Amino acid sequence: AQALARDWQTRCGVDLAIERPQSVPRGGPAIVCRFDRRAALAPKAGTARDAYRLVVTPRGVELSAPSVHGLRY
């Protein structure tokens, strides 16, 4: 999470606060990043580490990826 926050700050000038999942208010807008191998359509492909799944709803954004590489893309 810290590497991703540094990367976004460097690339976009955006400071992200890192919070534990329990501290995110229910129903409030949130950005959730998580590691999930199912985010890659072909988990054994050479590009699987760069895969990600992005879900955007009025309640927030969920970003899932099998590795930190996917979260950065």
Side-chain angles (χ1 to χ4, degrees), residues 21-40:
Q22 295 85 0
S23 66
V24 176
R26 287 186 174 242
I31 299 174
V32 177
C33 298
R34 69 181 60 170
F35 292 113
D36 185 350
R37 291 178 191 222
R38 296 171 295 171

Side-chain angles (χ1 to χ4, degrees), residues 6 29 40 59 63:
R6 280 192 307 271
R59 293 186 347 212
L63 180 60

Side-chain angles (χ1 to χ4, degrees), residues 4-71:
L4 182 62
R6 280 192 307 271
D7 191 43
W8 283 5
Q9 206 294 318
T10 300
R11 293 175 188 236
C12 306
V14 175
D15 291 319
L16 297 177
I18 299 171
E19 300 177 355
R20 295 177 186 257
Q22 295 85 0
S23 66
V24 176
R26 287 186 174 242
I31 299 174
V32 177
C33 298
R34 69 181 60 170
F35 292 113
D36 185 350
R37 291 178 191 222
R38 296 171 295 171
L41 295 176
K44 296 186 180 188
T47 58
R49 73 177 196 152
D50 298 334
Y52 64 89
R53 178 175 294 138
L54 180 66
V55 178
V56 180
T57 68
R59 293 186 347 212
V61 175
E62 181 177 319
L63 180 60
S64 303
S67 73
V68 70
H69 300 282
L71 291 178

